Amino acid sequence: MVPTLCGRIQTRLFLLALVGGVLTALLVPVLPVDAPRPAIYQSAFVVLAAVAVLGVGWELLYHLLMQWRWEKDWPTMFGLLTLVPEGLLVGFLAVSGVLPWLPAPVPLDAFVLHFVVVWIGVWLVANGPMRVPFIRWRFRGGRLM
């Protein structure tokens, strides 16, 4: 079954909260940022929240683009490669310091490391281990609830 728009949004938010939150918490201590630890955690979680919020908009755009595809779905590799446009947008907002609740602009190298690790982690879990505890996930169009 092809994941529905609602299923993709639910899965995205769930995985960003669970997998993204854990990876962010583990990654913050090794990020190349010279700032107090609470400010680094705040910045990292603000960026993660921005990826989640803006991701809903991206899902709407991807859904529109998928309507022109014969099978109305992306190949799995497209799901991985969507990190490029999403990363560019959130990266621009984070590095320029435009995101709300961001204590300071995020250094580019720290953003890239954080974003790529979280994105690949979420993508790997969505395409593998997630199918074990959520056996019926695929048959419900990707919806979790």
Side-chain angles (χ1 to χ4, degrees), residues 15-28 31 44-45 47-48 51 80 83 111-125:
L15 289 176
L16 281 173
L18 187 69
V19 177
V22 169
L23 287 174
T24 297
L26 293 173
L27 193 61
V28 163
L31 286 176
F45 279 101
V47 166
L48 186 64
V51 170
L80 178 62
L83 78 92
F111 170 79
V112 170
L113 177 64
H114 175 231
F115 186 81
V116 169
V117 167
V118 169
W119 191 272
I120 290 175
V122 166
W123 184 79
L124 286 172
V125 170

Side-chain angles (χ1 to χ4, degrees), residues 24-47:
T24 297
L26 293 173
L27 193 61
V28 163
V30 298
L31 286 176
V33 178
D34 186 29
R37 183 92 48 197
I40 301 172
Y41 273 102
Q42 181 179 352
S43 295
F45 279 101
V46 166
V47 166

Side-chain angles (χ1 to χ4, degrees), residues 8-133:
R8 286 194 318 272
I9 291 171
Q10 284 181 18
T11 300
R12 173 187 283 261
L13 295 176
F14 173 76
L15 289 176
L16 281 173
L18 187 69
V19 177
V22 169
L23 287 174
T24 297
L26 293 173
L27 193 61
V28 163
V30 298
L31 286 176
V33 178
D34 186 29
R37 183 92 48 197
I40 301 172
Y41 273 102
Q42 181 179 352
S43 295
F45 279 101
V46 166
V47 166
L48 186 64
V51 170
V53 170
L54 294 171
V56 173
W58 281 109
E59 286 296 342
L60 296 172
L61 176 64
Y62 298 149
H63 184 73
L64 177 68
L65 293 174
M66 279 191 270
Q67 300 313 303
W68 283 290
R69 291 186 47 84
W70 175 263
E71 62 277 349
K72 307 281 191 245
D73 195 14
W74 293 122
T76 303
M77 188 56 73
F78 280 20
L80 178 62
L81 295 178
T82 57
L83 78 92
V84 174
E86 293 190 34
L88 288 173
L89 175 63
V90 177
F92 172 75
L93 296 174
V95 170
S96 63
V98 177
L99 291 174
W101 301 292
L102 201 61
V106 177
L108 182 61
D109 55 346
F111 170 79
V112 170
L113 177 64
H114 175 231
F115 186 81
V116 169
V117 167
V118 169
W119 191 272
I120 290 175
V122 166
W123 184 79
L124 286 172
V125 170
N127 287 290
M130 179 156 174
R131 296 161 197 247
V132 174

